[in-house]
Amino acid sequence: MSTWQQYLDTNQPLFLDEMFDFLRIPSISSLPENVGDVRKAGEWVMQRLKRAGIENIEMMETGDQFPGHPVVYGDWLHAPGKPTILIYGHFDVQPVDPVDLWHSPPFEPVLKEGKVYARGSNDDKGNMLVPILAVEALLKSEGQLPVNIKFFLEGQEEIGSPTLPPFVKANQAKFACDMVISADGGQWSETEPELAVGLRGLCAMQINVTGPNRDVHSGMAGGAIQNPIHALVRLLDSMRAPDGKILVEGFYDDVRALTPEERAQIATIPYNENDYKAQLGLSDLFGEPGYSTRERTWARPTLELNGIWGGFQGAGTKTVIPSQAHAKITCRLVADQEPNKIIEKLQAHIAQHTPPGVQITLDIGASASTPYLMPADHPGNQAARDVHLELYGMEPYYARSGGSIPFCALFHTVLGVYTVNFGFALPDERQHSPNEFFRLSSFEKGQKAYCMLLHRLAQTKAS
Amino acid sequence: MSTWQQYLDTNQPLFLDEMFDFLRIPSISSLPENVGDVRKAGEWVMQRLKRAGIENIEMMETGDQFPGHPVVYGDWLHAPGKPTILIYGHFDVQPVDPVDLWHSPPFEPVLKEGKVYARGSNDDKGNMLVPILAVEALLKSEGQLPVNIKFFLEGQEEIGSPTLPPFVKANQAKFACDMVISADGGQWSETEPELAVGLRGLCAMQINVTGPNRDVHSGMAGGAIQNPIHALVRLLDSMRAPDGKILVEGFYDDVRALTPEERAQIATIPYNENDYKAQLGLSDLFGEPGYSTRERTWARPTLELNGIWGGFQGAGTKTVIPSQAHAKITCRLVADQEPNKIIEKLQAHIAQHTPPGVQITLDIGASASTPYLMPADHPGNQAARDVHLELYGMEPYYARSGGSIPFCALFHTVLGVYTVNFGFALPDERQHSPNEFFRLSSFEKGQKAYCMLLHRLAQTKAS
């Protein structure tokens, strides 16, 4: 019998081939037309878990209708007296538009200079394969696992996991565990490890502005009626000051202020604003006054316009006042903001600032996520920190993330356990953007790190 | 030999069939992909002029490349000592989106309850067929025309006739005439005639805002960088006060103020704001304070947002900060504003109000049109007024229009002649909107009115 390291070394070509298969499934969770593809990705995961030696694999329904994408569950529970670890990941992906900016089709993965390019390679298909392969390597080389393992792999993370809360509550006993390890996350860089202890929350809405009951001639009606695009622009502009501060009344009320200690800790983590600007092709960064860029993205909430549309978008000129205009908004939230309360504040602001001459309706987004903060010295974090130290030769940075993983807050609330973020994405890999990629080196390092982590977790206390 | 009235009565079914043929050609002048269709519509017009008995028909090129759509010319010049009348119309049409709001396909005309539904039925294909059929009726019934006629039928009116100015200048002698009669216009209602003496001008631009060099994750970048949609919204909102007044510096500088007499004259023309609101499904009208709705649409300039787009427009949520955002603007201008000067003022405003953290580029629209005002007692208007009095039993309203016909100002500048607006569209016929239609009753009345008008014009002075 070989060691898990030998098993991993031997099987990398096969694992890569499998990752390509997985990436070919266009499992976009936000689009109703891809609902079958999300399920197909789930079925692919079930097969892969089975080959890895996981037991009791099943596809669990989370709702009768879109977007109630299924959860794939599987376990291996033959380590009595050892802790039970629930491993989290997701097999759904973001949409791919603007598709003309991709250098190769988003669902036809390619390997170039050690990087796998495809939608989902980084977030989270490549990343979530890592612990499955590590578990397989341990089972094939050692005949058993050092801890009890439950896999919880979902298909709606990219839309904020809207149907998971009642589903997790209803299956509380099945998912009971000592901690969660999430394979949806990343490291600081190729050479610097990170432990994410905070995530922002999320809430979403679409604003629909209606003026005249049809598109009308801008010559005939121009000057007589409110233009829905103008009205939308006015309303949206009322929500944010030119300097970036959000003007929605009460928006900052529940924000937990940064302590001087937290500000100092954040300041020690390396950050090169010039590199970041160069990466994005920007001459200036921008945001709420009084905070550093890192503080703004980690510990301050935002209100972002994710999309806007109305009227004529073709080439040339169309002299029209459109009937409708629309905008999509998401807010990133920080402790102790609550998504529902922020939605209410937005509703109140919109009601108060609706320009004359138009009607406004709101579609409240199914995506909602509570902000998350965990103790830096949690036993799972300590085990992960030991692996980091061994693999990278340095302590991890205790960082936060500007993004949102609804799952972390949900499992903390429902199951009373924290989630250790142990993923291997890197920040330059264009998650959510065209030409997303995942480094093969991260894919391999992750597998090794998970084998080491599961052994270390065997030393932590079981409940 | 029958009378022209008998000829018209006999041939209506054929004329309707021909109009349907004409309407089937999707001659959208703003879209590069329809450039061949605009030419096809021009060829159709040439054939139709030929059958009517018009001579010297030719397709005249106005430019080497898009949007230099051709002009169709033809004449009948056998009335020595009589005035020469140039008849204007256009065979291009507006785009059709949003196409899903059409009850029948826009280029498959249908006749329902005496109304012909199709893109261009009203503006201007149905309307511009009218004088051709009237001329045919006169030639077939009387063997000659009472005046000399030149037809000038163009294919780029809907985009502001960008390549016509140098073309008309270069062909000044060919188009020389005593007056222009435009078949691109309308009457007040089915029972009330109108003479339009003023038209608004037009200028157009597209604003392109660029932030990061790709779409980025709103969690990772949110708070760190300027959002191009936010920046666009800020910029656009800076151009107009919440009450509708345009804030672009100097925008109103060259506006010819309404005299008390003009305000009184406008006030005598019937206007039911409640009907207008009901027609558009609006509870309130809206616009610049200090002016009546009619004054705002006829004698005050506007800045309208015709289109806006950026980021995610699909179903659900995509947590993205887009790389770009765009808006299309047109301004309606009034005497004595000049399109080029207004574009310069917009450019200066945008340069001064560009939000931090983004780059802005402008595409100045080819569409530009100088505002137009003509004397109410012009000999052509007097002849038209006599026809109106006979056909409708009442004096026409001397009205203005909020729309723009670049041709009127162009011919006044280059050839020194005014344009009499003598068209038969009606204001409820949804020009530029889904389900545009043209009344058969207007189609027939127009033919008769043109026969009467050409006879009356024979009494006016030839140069």
Side-chain angles (χ1 to χ4, degrees), chain A residues 413-425:
Chain A
T413 310
V414 178
L415 299 182
V417 294
Y418 281 112
T419 296
V420 178
N421 285 282
F422 203 68
F424 291 86

Side-chain angles (χ1 to χ4, degrees), chain A residues 100-361:
Chain A
D100 53 320
L101 295 186
W102 287 78
H103 300 141
S104 53
F107 296 110
E108 297 176 21
V110 294
L111 176 65
K112 277 193 291 197
E113 299 177 354
K115 298 164 179 173
V116 176
Y117 289 84
R119 168 57 83 232
S121 56
N122 164 313
D123 183 12
D124 180 46
K125 284 175 171 172
N127 234 338
M128 68 148 271
L129 267 184
V130 163
I132 300 176
L133 304 176
V135 160
E136 173 172 294
L138 290 170
L139 282 171
K140 302 285 181 187
S141 59
E142 302 174 357
Q144 61 182 11
L145 298 179
V147 291
N148 300 293
I149 291 284
K150 296 178 177 179
F151 277 101
F152 182 104
L153 305 169
E154 64 143 314
Q156 50 184 283
E157 195 275 341
E158 295 298 357
I159 50 172
S161 307
T163 69
L164 284 200
F167 168 79
V168 172
K169 278 188 197 97
N171 294 279
Q172 217 165 329
K174 185 176 192 110
F175 302 140
C177 59
D178 292 291
M179 71 181 74
V180 178
I181 307 287
S182 167
D184 184 26
Q187 299 300 324
W188 195 259
S189 72
E190 285 197 81
T191 55
E192 298 157 294
E194 155 188 356
L195 274 170
V197 296
L199 289 162
R200 289 199 286 193
L202 185 76
C203 62
M205 67 161 57
Q206 178 173 317
I207 300 178
N208 309 297
V209 179
T210 302
N213 53 17
R214 57 178 183 274
D215 290 2
V216 293
H217 190 298
S218 74
M220 302 307 152
I225 67 172
Q226 177 66 281
N227 179 322
I229 304 179
H230 261 302
L232 176 61
V233 155
R234 175 87 280 274
L235 174 63
L236 296 175
D237 199 32
S238 76
M239 295 182 177
R240 209 191 70 168
D243 67 6
K245 192 169 194 301
I246 304 307
L247 300 177
V248 174
E249 201 182 342
F251 187 77
Y252 294 103
D253 282 358
D254 297 329
V255 171
R256 204 190 294 176
L258 280 165
T259 63
E261 294 71 26
E262 285 172 322
R263 299 189 85 158
Q265 189 209 13
I266 288 174
T268 63
I269 302 180
Y271 187 45
N272 187 326
E273 289 204 350
N274 288 332
D275 285 357
Y276 185 64
K277 285 192 277 189
Q279 225 182 79
L280 297 182
L282 288 168
S283 50
D284 296 295
L285 299 182
F286 176 85
E288 191 191 0
Y291 297 91
S292 71
T293 303
R294 175 135 291 156
E295 288 170 350
R296 294 200 308 266
T297 55
W298 284 1
R300 298 294 298 172
T302 67
L303 184 156
E304 295 290 350
L305 306 179
N306 307 118
I308 194 166
W309 70 103
F312 184 62
Q313 304 184 19
T317 297
K318 187 182 179 190
T319 48
V320 71
I321 295 175
S323 173
Q324 297 204 312
H326 309 267
K328 284 183 189 279
I329 294 179
T330 51
C331 296
R332 296 285 170 173
L333 310 177
V334 298
D336 299 308
Q337 290 178 302
E338 288 173 26
N340 290 345
K341 280 179 72 174
I342 295 297
I343 289 288
E344 282 165 21
K345 288 175 202 292
L346 281 168
Q347 287 170 320
H349 180 94
I350 291 165
Q352 211 180 340
H353 289 80
T354 295
V358 293
Q359 303 294 319
I360 291 189
T361 63

Side-chain angles (χ1 to χ4, degrees), chain A residues 97 200 213 215 218-219 222-224 226-227 234 237 240 280 286 296 304 306 308 310 314 316 318 320 328 433, chain B residues 97 200 213 215 219 222-224 226-227 234 237 240 280 286 296 304 306 308 310 314 316 318 320 328 332 433:
Chain A
D97 56 285
R200 289 199 286 193
N213 53 17
D215 290 2
S218 74
Q226 177 66 281
N227 179 322
R234 175 87 280 274
D237 199 32
R240 209 191 70 168
L280 297 182
F286 176 85
R296 294 200 308 266
E304 295 290 350
N306 307 118
I308 194 166
K318 187 182 179 190
V320 71
K328 284 183 189 279
S433 291
Chain B
D97 55 288
R200 289 199 286 193
N213 53 18
D215 290 2
Q226 177 66 282
N227 180 322
R234 176 85 282 273
D237 198 32
R240 209 191 70 167
L280 296 183
F286 176 84
R296 294 199 308 268
E304 296 290 351
N306 306 118
I308 194 167
K318 187 181 180 191
V320 72
K328 284 184 189 278
R332 295 285 170 173
S433 291

